[in-house]
């Protein structure tokens, strides 16, 4: 309803409700005086607004006290603004209180009184003066001059439409009579009597009418009082409404400020969200890229692992081949061992020969000593004596050789030990081969299992590969240990080889020395043979001389010469025998020396061959060692990577599982964040909608001017709308409550029918009772507030079922079990079904 | 006499030997203290939520907040039970930003249990080899590792003051373990491009706890 349509002027709000913060209101035309619209209020003068003029109708409508009689009708004081229609008056009071509907209603409810008063006031206004009832009586008494139409008394006027039709007729009749009587002046007496009678009648009627009027006044006054009270209440309500309106305006302002803030925040939030969305998109992109990279890396790792597995299998094959090679080497070494044993035996023989030689040398020395008897042979003997230490040295050297041979024996023993170790290693290698075969079989089985598995299943093959890698690592460690032991042995062998080489060098030097000594001995033998030849020639010469001497002695027969000759002959025979012996010994020594030389050469060859073989073995073992080192390094790298992964938290998904508590702080924080984000999004949506509304409407709904315009349009509409909303809300609430009650009832019925319990819920107290059970058999659970747990209140029934309380509530903390057990107990009692568990 | 002394020594060593239950309790206590210290030192929760408690020869910050305390106690209770069953392989404390879901740090406590090995060790110790660690030694070890954890704050990257981080505790269990209904499976929360910081190991005669922190390299 627009202001142009409404005939009533808009009511200005009370001055105390309008503040300086609403400039649009101050720009409106100045309000009319409030007394124009104020109704008289005698009941609650305090509730009257300041500045409002006291209504002039109060005096006219002041209710009479009980028992008090109004002596005369006081002329009603005229309100200067009484010409205003009654509807306005009711608007101010009732529109504020009850809205328009109420206003209309009150206007309809008081048609008689208001219409009567209106007409009276109209007549008074027209006449511009109100006649008192006394004056009317005076006019009646005067019976002249006064116009008939104007002869109505104020009381009659006041009676209005409430005066019944009979009195109206009488009044008309009297007026007609008056007019007739006024025209008939000659018969004054009769007329006067009639008139007096009529006057008495009229006065009686008047008194009656007065009484009626007074009654009517009382009624109207009562009505007015009620109206006033209503009006006062309406005024109070209007004041409240104005305060509410002010609050609404303030709320509007606050909301507008909030809206502004929210708009700015919304824009900022939108920007933030856009940024976040962009950031999330970027992150998503980067994550997808990273995932692609990871996938590629995983694939490449898988390929690498496959390659490594292949290389590992190749390495295994190589190891098997190496085992075979070692076997062959051992097979080759076995004859060497037998050869070494033979060499040992030869050495022993040589030792025996050397001992025999020593004995021979001793014999030779004795022979030399014997030869020394001869003066010439003495020189030789001396020379031989000189040579004896040389021979002794040679003997010593030979002894040393014998010691060397013993050392060789020791070496042979060590070689035998090493051969035994090789044999043990061979056994290990056999074991490893067996393990390899078993592992191959397992790998084949796993590969077949992996092939049989569907792609959706967990990739066990890789895990098995990883397991095998672990096993390989363990084996690698073992192999590393073996390699280390082998390296040690190789080192020992190399040392032995070096020792052997050194010994070979020594033996060579000894051989050279022995050759030199042999040459010396040969030269000596030549010298001796020369000497022997010389001695034999001398002997021959001596023989010749002897013969000649014999001949001469025979001739001369000198006994001294003969004795000398005999001595010389004996000496000669002795020396001859010695020389023969010496020659034999020399021949023997020469033969033994040649044998020794041959054995030495054989030994040298064997040593050379052994050293070559050892070198080859050493080279192979070093190569093997290097290969194993590389394998070890690779496996160490893998192990390092694996340990790093383990440190980073990687695990075997087939064996281990990562579990967390469902209600973790992370979960709570994420929920909180999501809730906050939801709220913010909702606010943002609302703000967006408001923003759109503002954009579409070209103005802001929370604008003060718009609010003021809406307010000026009339608070009644808002109130009506609010009332409608309130009614709707109340209806909805009632519907909800009835629905909730029905659902509660149905739920309780369901609980009673299906679970056997009557449940009564009262805030923090629940009372359970078995259906069809006595009223005192109840189970009561209580709690202090929502955060505290439910606690059982003890009563006779619970003490009777204390066993169940202890069993289910105290020990297991299972109320469902407790209730179920009680139901079972009752069932067993009612149906005689025996339960296993004890009954209290 | 010699045999009597040997028997007495054996009895004393057997008495000082730690059982699986005792070892699980010790490891659980260590984990509780370590997690509390980490939560305090890394500023996951405000300082008002912790109180100083003298333990292991140093002052350890224990959670005051009932909710946090009940959560930690719940996790530790189950962890101890599973340690008794030798079903736990690792406990991981993950510090996460709940908004961005970025994993800031990953504190891993790898638990290795070998009951047979422990028994062998005790037998060896009884037979004269290296003796099993006593309670005091284990407590000293735990104290030293806790001190290392406290000192590691100076090495680890600083967390921003406005960061609203939270945490989660992952338990690495055996695959066939029956977990309660309120426990659920989780991802391991790996950190890419991470760096590790290793702490000392704690050896009881039954368990070995290897502590390590993984953090994002800048």
């Amino acid at each position: 309803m627009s202001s142009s349509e409404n005939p009533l002027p808009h009511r200005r709000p009370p001055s105390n409700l309008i503040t300086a913060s609403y400039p649009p209101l101050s720009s409106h035309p100045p309000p009319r005086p409030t007394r124009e619209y104020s109704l008289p209020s005698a009941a609650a003068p305090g509730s009257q607004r300041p500045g409002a003029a006291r209504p002039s109708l109060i005096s006219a409508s002041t209710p009479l006290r009980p028992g008090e009689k109004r002596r005369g009708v006081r002329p009603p004081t005229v309100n200067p603004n009484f010409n205003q229609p009654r509807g306005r008056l009711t608007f101010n009071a009732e529109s504020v209180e009850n809205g328009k509907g109420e206003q209309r209603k009150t206007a309809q409810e008081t048609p008689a009184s208001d219409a009567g008063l209106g007409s009276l006031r109209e007549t008074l206004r027209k006449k511009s003066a109100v006649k008192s009832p006394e004056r009317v009586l005076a006019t009646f008494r005067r019976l002249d001059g006064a116009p008939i139409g104007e002869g109505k008394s104020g009381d009659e006027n006041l009676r209005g439409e409430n005066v019944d039709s009979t009195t109206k007729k009488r009044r008309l009749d009297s007026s007609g009579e008056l007019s007739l009587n006024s025209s008939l002046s000659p018969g004054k007496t009769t007329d006067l009597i009639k008139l007096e009678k009529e006057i008495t009648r009229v006065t009686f009627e008047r008194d009656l009418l007065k009484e009626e009027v007074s009654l009517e006044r009382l009624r109207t006054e009562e009505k007015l009082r009620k109206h006033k009270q209503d009006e006062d209440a309406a005024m109070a309500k209007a004041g409240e409404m104005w305060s509410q309106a002010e609050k609404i305006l303030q709320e509007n302002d606050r909301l507008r400020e909030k809206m502004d803030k929210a708009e700015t925040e919304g824009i900022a939030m939108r920007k933030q969200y856009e940024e976040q969305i962009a950031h999330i998109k970027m992150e998503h992109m980067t994550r997808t890229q990273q995932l692609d990279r990871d996938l590629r890396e995983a694939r490449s790792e898988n390929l690498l692992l496959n390659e490594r597995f292949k290389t590992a299998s190749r390495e295994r094959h190589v190891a098997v081949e190496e085992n075979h090679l070692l076997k062959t080497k051992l097979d080759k070494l076995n004859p060497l061992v037998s050869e070494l044993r033979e060499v040992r035996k030869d050495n022993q023989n040589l030792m025996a020969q050397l001992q025999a030689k020593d004995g021979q040398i001793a014999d030779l020395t004795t022979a030399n000593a014997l030869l020394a008897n001869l003066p010439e042979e003495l020189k030789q003997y001396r020379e031989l004596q000189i040579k004896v230490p040389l021979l002794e040295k040679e003997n010593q050297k030979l002894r040393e050789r014998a010691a060397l041979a013993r050392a060789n024996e020791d070496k042979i023993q060590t070689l035998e030990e090493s051969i035994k170790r090789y044999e043990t290693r061979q056994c290990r290698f056999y074991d490893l081969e067996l393990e390899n075969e078993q592992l191959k079989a397992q790998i084949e089985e796993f590969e077949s299992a992996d092939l049989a598995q569907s792609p959706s299943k967990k990739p066990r093959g890789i895990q098995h590969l990883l397991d095998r890698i672990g096993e390989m690592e363990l084996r690698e460690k073992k192999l590393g240990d073996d390699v280390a032991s082998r390296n040690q042995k190789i080192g020992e062998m190399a040392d032995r080889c070096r020792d052997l080489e050194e010994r070979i060098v020594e033996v060579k030097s000894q051989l050279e020395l022995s050759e030199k000594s042999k040459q010396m001995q040969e030269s000596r033998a030549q010298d001796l043979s020369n000497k022997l030849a010389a001695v034999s020639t001398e002997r021959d010469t001596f023989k010749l001389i002897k013969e000649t001497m014999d001949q001469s002695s025979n001739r001369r027969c000198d006994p001294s010469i003969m004795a000398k000759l005999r001595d010389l002959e004996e000496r000669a025979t002795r020396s001859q025998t010695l020389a023969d012996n010496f020659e034999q010994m020399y021949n023997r020594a020469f033969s033994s020396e040649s044998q020794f030389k041959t054995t030495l050469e054989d030994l040298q060859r064997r040593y050379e061959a052994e050293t070559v073989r050892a070198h080859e073995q050493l080279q192979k073992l070093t190569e093997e060692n290097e290969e194993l080192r590389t394998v070890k390094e690779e496996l160490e790298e893998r192990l390092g990577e694996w340990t790093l992964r383990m440190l980073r938290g990687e695990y075997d998904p087939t064996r281990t599982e990562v579990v967390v508590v469902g209600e973790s702080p992370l979960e709570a924080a994420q929920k909180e964040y999501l809730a906050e984000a939801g709220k913010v999004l909702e606010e943002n949506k609302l703000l967006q909608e408001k923003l759109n509304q503002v954009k579409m409407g070209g103005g802001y709904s929370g604008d003060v001017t718009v609010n003021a315009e809406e307010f000026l349009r009339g608070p009644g509409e808002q109130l009506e709308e609010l009332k409608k909303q309130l009614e709707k809300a109340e209806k909805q609430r009632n519907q909800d409550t009835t629905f909730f009650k029905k659902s509660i009832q149905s739920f309780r019925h369901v609980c009673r029918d299906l679970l056997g319990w009557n449940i009564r819920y009262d805030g923090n107290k629940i009372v359970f009772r078995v259906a069809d059970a006595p009223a005192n058999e109840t189970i009561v659970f209580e709690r202090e507030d929502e955060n505290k747990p439910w606690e059982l209140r003890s009563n006779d029934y619970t003490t009777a079922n204390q066993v169940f309380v202890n069993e289910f509530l105290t020990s297991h903390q299972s109320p469902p079990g407790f209730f179920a057990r009680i139901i079972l107990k009752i069932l067993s009692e009612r149906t005689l079904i025996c339960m296993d568990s004890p009954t209290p | 006499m010699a045999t009597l002394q040997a028997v007495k020594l054996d009895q004393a060593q057997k008495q000082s030997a730690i059982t699986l239950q005792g070892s699980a309790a010790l490891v659980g206590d260590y984990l509780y203290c370590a997690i509390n210290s980490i939560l305090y030192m890394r500023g996951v929760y405000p300082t008002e939520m912790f109180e100083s408690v003298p333990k292991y020869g140093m002052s350890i910050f224990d959670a005051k907040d009932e909710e946090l305390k009940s959560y930690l106690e719940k996790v530790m209770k189950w962890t101890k039970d599973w340690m008794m069953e030798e079903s736990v392989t690792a406990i991981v404390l993950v510090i996460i930003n709940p908004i961005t879901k970025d994993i800031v740090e990953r504190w891993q406590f790898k638990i290795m249990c070998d009951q047979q090995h422990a028994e062998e060790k005790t037998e060896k110790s009884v037979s004269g080899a290296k003796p099993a660690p006593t309670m005091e030694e284990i407590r000293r070890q735990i104290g030293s590792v806790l001190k290392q954890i406290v000192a590691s704050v100076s090495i680890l990257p600083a967390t921003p003051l406005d960061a609203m981080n939270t945490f989660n505790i992952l338990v690495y269990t055996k695959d066939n373990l029956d977990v309660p209904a309120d426990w659920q499976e989780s991802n391991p929360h790996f950190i890419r491009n991470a760096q590790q910081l290793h702490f000392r190991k704690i050896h009881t005669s039954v368990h070995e706890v290897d502590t390590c922190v993984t953090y994002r390299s800048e």
Side-chain angles (χ1 to χ4, degrees):
Chain A
M1 189 175 171
S2 65
S3 60
S4 59
E5 287 170 3
N6 191 2
L8 302 170
H10 287 290
R11 183 179 177 136
R12 189 183 181 276
S15 60
N16 59 347
L17 296 178
I18 296 169
T19 56
S21 61
Y22 303 102
L25 278 174
S26 63
S27 62
H28 283 273
R32 293 177 188 181
T34 52
R35 59 194 167 92
E36 285 181 5
Y37 316 109
S38 63
L39 272 175
S41 66
S47 63
Q48 204 171 11
R49 282 185 287 109
R54 190 175 288 275
S56 57
L57 280 172
I58 284 170
S59 57
S61 60
T62 306
L64 287 170
R65 291 175 188 169
E68 187 186 5
K69 284 188 179 177
R70 199 176 291 276
R71 288 183 180 177
V73 177
R74 211 172 65 182
T77 54
V78 179
N79 193 336
N81 297 311
F82 202 66
N83 55 356
Q84 293 294 332
R86 180 64 183 160
R88 280 186 202 170
L89 295 168
T90 54
F91 165 75
N92 284 333
E94 292 166 2
S95 66
V96 173
E97 185 188 355
N98 299 321
K100 268 194 167 180
E102 289 289 324
Q103 178 192 352
R104 283 166 195 160
K105 197 178 172 186
T106 48
Q108 285 167 3
E109 276 175 3
T110 57
S113 61
D114 288 348
L117 286 166
S119 62
L120 177 66
R121 281 163 191 162
E122 274 294 319
T123 50
L124 286 169
R125 190 177 59 78
K126 281 175 184 174
K127 285 179 181 177
S128 72
V130 179
K131 288 178 181 177
S132 64
E134 286 79 6
R135 284 179 71 184
V136 172
L137 281 171
T139 51
F140 277 119
R141 278 167 189 168
R142 268 189 275 126
L143 295 172
D144 58 346
I148 294 161
E150 294 173 1
K152 276 185 181 176
S153 66
D155 291 337
E156 283 173 348
N157 283 328
L158 283 167
R159 266 186 305 178
E161 289 175 8
N162 290 328
V163 180
D164 57 3
S165 58
T166 54
T167 53
K168 273 186 181 176
K169 280 177 184 176
R170 283 173 189 172
R171 197 169 53 192
L172 284 168
D173 292 339
S174 66
S175 65
E177 281 173 4
L178 280 169
S179 62
L180 282 171
N181 289 331
S182 62
S183 62
L184 294 171
S185 57
K188 274 186 179 178
T189 54
T190 56
D191 289 337
L192 277 168
I193 291 158
K194 283 179 182 175
L195 276 168
E196 280 173 358
K197 284 178 182 174
E198 192 68 31
I199 284 160
T200 52
R201 189 180 61 81
V202 167
T203 51
F204 179 69
E205 281 178 359
R206 190 199 65 185
D207 292 330
L208 283 169
L209 284 167
K210 270 183 182 176
E211 284 174 3
E212 282 179 1
V213 165
S214 64
L215 284 166
E216 191 64 35
R217 268 184 188 165
L218 284 167
R219 282 175 199 157
T220 51
E221 276 169 4
E222 280 175 2
K223 282 179 185 174
L224 277 168
R225 206 188 301 154
K226 282 178 186 173
H227 278 296
K228 276 172 197 168
Q229 284 173 358
D230 293 335
E231 211 172 339
D232 290 333
M235 284 294 286
K237 284 176 184 173
E240 285 175 7
M241 289 302 297
W242 282 119
S243 61
Q244 280 180 3
E246 193 186 15
K247 283 176 187 174
I248 287 161
L249 284 167
Q250 285 175 355
E251 189 68 25
N252 265 334
D253 282 336
R254 199 170 57 76
L255 284 166
R256 194 185 65 176
E257 285 173 5
K258 267 191 179 176
M259 285 278 282
D260 289 331
K261 282 181 186 175
E263 266 184 6
T264 51
E265 283 175 1
I267 290 157
M269 285 295 290
R270 192 179 173 181
K271 281 179 185 174
Q272 281 181 359
Y273 280 130
E274 282 172 352
E275 284 173 3
Q276 281 181 0
I277 287 157
H279 183 65
I280 287 160
K281 279 179 182 173
M282 284 293 288
E283 276 187 352
H284 180 70
M285 289 283 284
T286 50
R287 279 179 187 171
T288 47
Q289 285 174 358
Q290 207 168 3
L291 281 166
D292 288 330
R293 281 174 205 159
D294 293 340
L295 192 68
R296 283 171 201 158
E297 283 175 4
R299 279 175 185 165
S300 60
E301 277 180 1
N302 198 8
L303 287 167
L304 279 166
L305 282 166
N306 285 327
E307 284 176 3
R308 282 174 186 171
F309 181 65
K310 284 173 187 172
T311 50
S313 57
R314 282 172 199 159
E315 283 168 6
R316 273 179 199 163
H317 285 296
V318 169
V320 169
E321 286 172 3
E322 283 174 0
N323 280 331
H324 283 295
L325 283 166
L326 285 165
K327 274 183 195 174
T328 50
K329 280 175 190 174
L330 282 166
D331 292 330
K332 285 174 185 174
L333 280 167
N334 284 327
L336 279 169
V337 169
S338 59
E339 281 177 6
L340 279 165
R341 281 172 188 163
E342 285 174 5
V343 167
R344 198 175 152 193
K345 283 175 184 175
D346 290 335
N347 277 327
Q348 282 175 353
N349 291 324
L350 281 167
M351 282 290 289
Q353 285 174 4
L354 279 167
Q355 282 174 357
K357 268 192 173 181
D358 285 334
Q360 286 172 4
I361 286 158
D363 291 334
L364 281 169
T365 49
T366 51
N368 282 327
L370 286 167
L371 280 169
N373 292 323
L374 288 168
E376 289 176 357
E377 286 172 0
L378 275 171
K379 288 178 185 175
Q380 288 176 2
Y381 181 68
R382 280 171 193 162
E383 284 174 1
L384 282 168
Q385 273 182 341
I386 294 159
K387 286 172 188 174
V388 163
L390 289 168
L391 285 166
E392 279 175 358
K393 281 178 185 174
E394 282 178 3
N395 279 329
Q396 205 171 353
K397 282 172 186 173
L398 285 166
R399 278 172 194 160
E400 282 174 0
R401 280 177 194 171
L404 278 168
R406 282 171 200 159
N408 284 328
E409 281 177 2
D410 293 331
K411 282 174 192 172
I412 286 153
Q413 281 180 353
T414 51
L415 281 167
E416 279 175 355
E417 284 173 3
S418 64
I419 285 154
K420 281 177 186 173
R421 283 172 193 165
Y422 276 123
E423 281 173 357
T424 51
R425 276 179 207 163
Q426 198 178 355
C427 291
R428 281 181 196 169
F429 277 118
Y430 277 127
D431 294 333
L432 282 168
E433 275 181 2
L434 285 167
E435 279 183 0
N436 279 331
E437 283 174 1
Q438 286 174 357
L439 283 168
K440 276 176 187 175
Q442 282 180 357
I443 287 157
E444 281 174 2
E445 282 174 9
F446 285 132
E447 279 174 355
S448 61
D450 286 334
L451 285 167
Q453 270 183 345
S454 64
S456 62
K457 285 184 180 178
K458 286 178 182 177
R460 285 192 176 182
I462 291 161
Q463 190 51 46
H464 285 295
L465 282 170
L466 291 168
D467 293 340
R468 280 172 206 160
I469 286 159
E471 288 171 2
M472 283 289 288
E473 283 169 0
L474 288 169
R475 279 175 200 160
E476 186 219 357
K477 280 180 186 174
K478 285 177 184 175
L479 284 166
D481 297 334
D482 286 338
V483 166
S485 62
R486 279 184 191 179
N487 284 329
Q488 283 180 354
K489 283 166 190 172
I490 287 158
E492 288 171 3
M493 287 286 285
D495 294 335
R496 282 172 197 164
C497 282
R498 278 171 206 158
D499 292 336
L500 282 167
E501 280 173 355
E502 285 171 0
R503 281 168 192 171
I504 285 159
V505 170
E506 285 175 2
V507 166
K508 277 179 182 174
S509 62
Q510 285 173 5
L511 190 72
E512 282 172 1
L513 285 168
S514 63
E515 277 176 353
K516 281 176 185 175
S517 64
K518 185 191 155 190
Q519 283 174 0
M520 291 281 281
Q521 280 179 353
E522 279 175 359
S523 62
R524 279 174 199 164
Q526 278 180 358
D527 290 337
L528 284 167
S529 59
N530 291 327
K531 282 175 185 176
L532 190 68
V535 167
S536 59
T537 52
E538 278 180 357
R539 189 194 64 185
D540 292 334
T541 52
F542 278 131
K543 274 179 181 177
L544 286 170
I545 291 162
K546 187 191 169 188
E547 283 173 357
T548 55
M549 289 282 286
D550 286 335
Q551 285 172 1
S552 63
S553 63
N554 286 327
R555 288 170 188 170
R556 293 172 188 173
C557 295
D558 192 0
S560 60
I561 292 163
M562 285 299 284
K564 282 181 182 177
L565 280 168
R566 282 172 195 157
D567 290 333
L568 282 168
E569 278 177 355
E570 283 173 0
R571 282 179 186 175
T573 50
R574 283 174 193 165
S575 63
Q576 186 67 36
T577 51
L578 280 168
D580 290 335
N581 289 328
F582 187 73
E583 204 171 351
Q584 284 173 1
M585 281 168 72
Y586 175 74
N587 288 326
R588 283 174 192 166
F590 187 75
S591 63
S592 67
E593 201 173 354
S594 63
Q595 283 176 357
F596 188 67
K597 273 181 187 174
T598 51
T599 51
L600 269 173
E601 282 171 358
D602 289 336
L603 273 170
Q604 199 173 349
R605 280 171 199 161
R606 282 171 191 170
Y607 277 129
E608 281 172 358
E610 269 187 18
T611 50
V612 168
R613 282 169 193 168
H615 275 295
E616 284 173 355
Q617 277 186 354
L618 191 71
Q619 279 179 354
K620 282 176 185 176
L621 286 167
T622 48
E623 284 171 1
E624 219 176 300
N625 196 15
E626 281 175 2
E627 284 174 1
L628 287 166
R629 247 180 226 166
T630 52
V631 171
K632 192 186 166 188
E633 281 169 0
E634 281 178 4
L635 289 167
E636 274 176 356
E637 282 177 4
R638 279 183 210 168
L639 192 69
E641 286 174 4
W642 185 251
T643 47
L644 261 175
R645 283 177 183 176
M646 289 299 287
L647 284 172
R648 281 173 188 167
E650 285 187 12
Y651 64 102
D652 182 6
T654 57
R655 288 181 186 173
T656 53
E657 190 182 12
V658 183
V659 290
V660 292
V661 181
E663 293 173 0
S664 63
L666 173 67
E667 200 84 6
Q670 280 179 350
K671 276 179 186 172
E672 198 179 339
Y673 170 68
L674 286 171
E676 279 182 8
K679 278 181 187 174
V680 169
L681 280 169
E682 281 178 4
E683 279 183 9
N684 200 16
K685 271 184 184 176
L686 285 167
L687 290 166
Q688 283 284 347
E689 283 174 5
K690 282 178 182 174
L691 195 69
N692 288 329
Q693 281 176 2
V694 168
K695 280 176 184 173
M696 293 293 285
Y700 181 53
S701 62
D703 195 357
V704 178
T705 52
V706 177
N707 283 329
E709 281 171 11
E710 281 176 4
F711 175 73
L712 286 168
R713 256 181 250 156
E717 288 178 3
Q718 287 180 357
L719 282 167
E720 277 180 5
E721 282 173 7
L722 285 167
K723 276 185 177 179
K724 281 174 186 175
Q725 285 176 7
L726 189 69
E727 281 174 4
K728 275 183 184 176
E730 278 178 357
K731 278 179 184 174
Q732 188 66 36
R733 197 187 66 179
N734 290 328
Q735 282 177 358
D736 289 337
T737 48
T738 50
F739 177 73
F740 185 63
K741 280 175 183 172
K742 280 178 184 175
S743 60
I744 285 166
Q745 281 177 353
S746 62
F747 178 71
R748 281 177 181 165
H749 283 301
V750 167
C751 286
R752 191 189 60 198
D753 295 333
L754 296 178
L755 302 174
W757 289 100
N758 277 325
I759 300 165
R760 189 153 50 83
Y761 179 73
D762 185 15
N764 289 321
K765 183 180 176 184
I766 300 178
V767 180
F768 295 90
R769 187 169 61 82
V770 178
D772 305 322
N776 59 350
E777 288 182 1
T778 55
I779 296 163
V780 181
F781 277 89
E782 277 187 0
R783 64 178 180 185
E784 288 176 12
D785 54 24
E786 287 179 0
N787 297 322
K788 297 284 171 61
W790 289 102
E791 287 176 3
L792 181 73
R793 291 281 166 263
S794 64
N795 54 16
D796 295 336
Y797 190 64
T798 54
T799 48
N801 294 306
Q802 192 62 41
V803 175
F804 298 150
V805 171
N806 292 331
E807 189 180 352
F808 292 99
L809 294 178
T810 311
S811 61
H812 295 293
Q813 294 177 351
S814 170
F818 172 70
F819 290 123
R821 190 67 193 84
I822 282 169
I823 290 290
L824 281 170
K825 181 201 158 195
I826 290 160
L827 182 72
S828 66
E829 283 173 354
R830 288 181 185 178
T831 59
L832 297 171
I833 296 167
C834 292
M835 294 295 150
D836 292 328
S837 57
T839 53
Chain B
M1 277 297 283
T3 52
L4 267 170
Q5 280 179 354
V7 166
K8 279 179 184 175
L9 189 72
D10 288 355
Q11 281 176 356
Q13 280 173 345
K14 275 175 187 174
Q15 279 171 3
S16 67
I18 291 167
T19 58
L20 177 65
Q21 195 175 358
S23 177
L26 271 169
V27 171
D29 196 34
Y30 159 66
L31 290 171
Y32 185 77
C33 291
I35 287 165
N36 267 311
S37 294
I38 291 159
L39 292 177
Y40 173 77
M41 301 308 292
R42 304 306 293 150
V44 179
Y45 287 100
T47 52
E48 296 83 31
M49 284 175 74
F50 295 90
E51 61 184 352
S52 181
V53 176
K55 211 171 186 182
Y56 299 116
M58 59 187 289
S59 59
I60 286 161
F61 290 94
D62 197 2
K64 265 199 299 187
D65 185 53
E66 285 299 323
E67 202 176 345
L68 176 62
K69 213 170 182 175
S70 66
Y71 170 73
L72 290 174
E73 279 170 359
K74 185 182 179 183
V75 173
M76 285 302 121
K77 181 189 164 290
W78 281 108
T79 307
K80 280 177 195 171
D81 290 349
W82 292 334
M83 272 198 280
M84 290 286 289
E85 295 170 14
E86 298 180 24
S87 301
V88 182
T89 54
I91 305 284
V92 178
L93 170 72
V94 188
I95 297 171
I96 309 174
N97 190 336
I99 298 162
T100 59
K101 292 183 181 177
D102 288 335
I103 296 144
V104 182
E105 280 167 23
R106 195 173 187 285
W107 294 78
Q108 185 171 299
F109 304 93
K110 198 173 180 183
I111 299 162
M112 285 156 277
C113 179
D114 193 355
Q115 180 70 11
Q116 288 179 353
H117 184 63
E119 281 169 5
E120 282 172 13
K121 268 187 180 177
T122 50
E123 280 170 12
K124 276 181 186 174
S125 67
V126 167
S127 63
K130 195 182 174 182
T134 58
M135 286 291 280
E136 278 187 11
E137 282 173 11
I138 293 161
R139 283 178 187 282
R140 212 173 295 139
Q141 284 176 24
I142 289 168
S144 65
V145 177
L146 287 171
K147 277 175 189 167
Q148 276 192 326
I149 286 166
V150 171
S152 68
V153 176
S154 59
I155 300 162
L156 295 169
T159 50
L161 290 168
D162 57 341
M164 294 288 287
N165 290 331
T166 185
F167 79 102
N168 202 359
I169 296 172
L170 318 177
V171 184
Y172 282 54
T173 61
K174 285 181 183 174
D175 197 28
N176 55 357
L177 184 74
D178 289 328
V179 293
D182 57 342
W183 286 73
Q184 57 194 19
E185 218 171 325
S186 170
N187 61 333
H189 294 286
F190 294 135
I191 301 174
R192 296 253 169 215
N193 302 321
Q195 286 185 355
Q196 281 89 29
L197 186 65
H198 223 94
F199 299 103
R200 280 182 203 164
K201 285 181 183 178
I202 293 166
H203 295 272
T204 66
S205 54
V206 183
H207 290 103
E208 186 180 276
V209 185
D210 190 4
T211 310
C212 165
V213 59
T214 313
Y215 57 95
R216 188 175 289 178
S217 58
E218 296 294 331

